[in-house]
Amino acid sequence: MKGLNRENFFFFGENCSNLEIIPGSVEHAYLAILNDDLDSAKAVFSKNDSPRSKWGNVFCSILKGFLQEYPTYFGIRNFLEIDVDFLLKNEKIGYVELFLGALEILSAINQETYKFTARVMLNNKLYSAALKYMDKSKQLYYNDPELHFMYAKYYMDKHYYNDAYFYINECLKLLPSYYPAKIMKEKIEEINF
């Protein structure tokens, strides 16, 4: 494999300078992805029997441009956000685009797929993409308090406090005891009212 500059890549943590990767490990497969060696990554994932490796096989097939096998509901729930964030932080934009192209299929397995993707985009300050995927998620399931919380965060970041207030109230209608939403509502009221 080609050598990577350890100062310029993200490997599930901020400081990768002392990173040691054991050959044949799941981490080895992810390093192969960073090196654009999807065949090696898939081979390593295939040798491991874990939920992460099963997802890794699906992940590699998506990055190659076609799904050979479908992920599970929990594979999507547990790993989609982590892996899209991994691709974004390592500036693997071509892979991100391939992955985004598979979202419709993945959303048929797990209806929260668009929400998970929106959260990654929001956390990476890719606001127009975040809004796009929140809107897609809202079309599938409006009554998701976490989604409304994300909308409120989005509108807070954009300084659209009336919109943020609407969505935080929608969140609290669905889940009145959601503590982070209560705190956000107080902040919006301090700023805007």
Side-chain angles (χ1 to χ4, degrees), residues 32-45:
I33 290 170
L34 288 181
N35 280 301
D36 300 319
D37 188 355
L38 299 176
D39 291 331
S40 292
K42 192 159 179 49
V44 171
F45 282 131

Side-chain angles (χ1 to χ4, degrees), residues 2 6 27 31 70 80 91 93 100 134 137 144 160 163 169 171 173 190 192:
K2 297 177 271 181
R6 291 176 182 255
E27 293 83 3
L31 186 58
Y70 289 95
L80 182 144
E91 299 177 0
I93 304 308
L100 296 177
M134 284 188 290
S137 183
D144 183 336
Y160 297 145
D163 292 327
N169 283 321
C171 174
K173 279 184 205 171
E190 286 175 14
N192 203 43

Side-chain angles (χ1 to χ4, degrees), residues 105-174:
I105 295 167
L106 300 180
S107 71
I109 298 165
N110 185 324
Q111 72 180 18
E112 293 180 289
T113 295
Y114 290 121
K115 178 179 71 175
F116 299 148
T117 305
R119 185 171 27 234
V120 173
M121 299 301 171
L122 190 59
N123 289 338
N124 282 283
K125 299 187 184 337
L126 299 168
Y127 292 112
S128 61
L131 184 60
K132 173 184 176 178
Y133 293 114
M134 284 188 290
D135 288 346
K136 285 181 174 279
S137 183
K138 185 169 68 171
Q139 290 173 1
L140 289 177
Y141 184 60
Y142 183 85
N143 291 327
D144 183 336
E146 187 178 27
L147 177 63
H148 292 292
F149 183 81
M150 289 168 53
Y151 269 113
K153 182 177 178 352
Y154 167 84
Y155 286 117
M156 285 286 289
D157 288 351
K158 293 295 207 174
H159 306 287
Y160 297 145
Y161 301 114
N162 289 334
D163 292 327
Y165 196 66
F166 170 81
Y167 280 105
I168 208 64
N169 283 321
E170 288 294 288
C171 174
L172 289 167
K173 279 184 205 171
L174 297 166

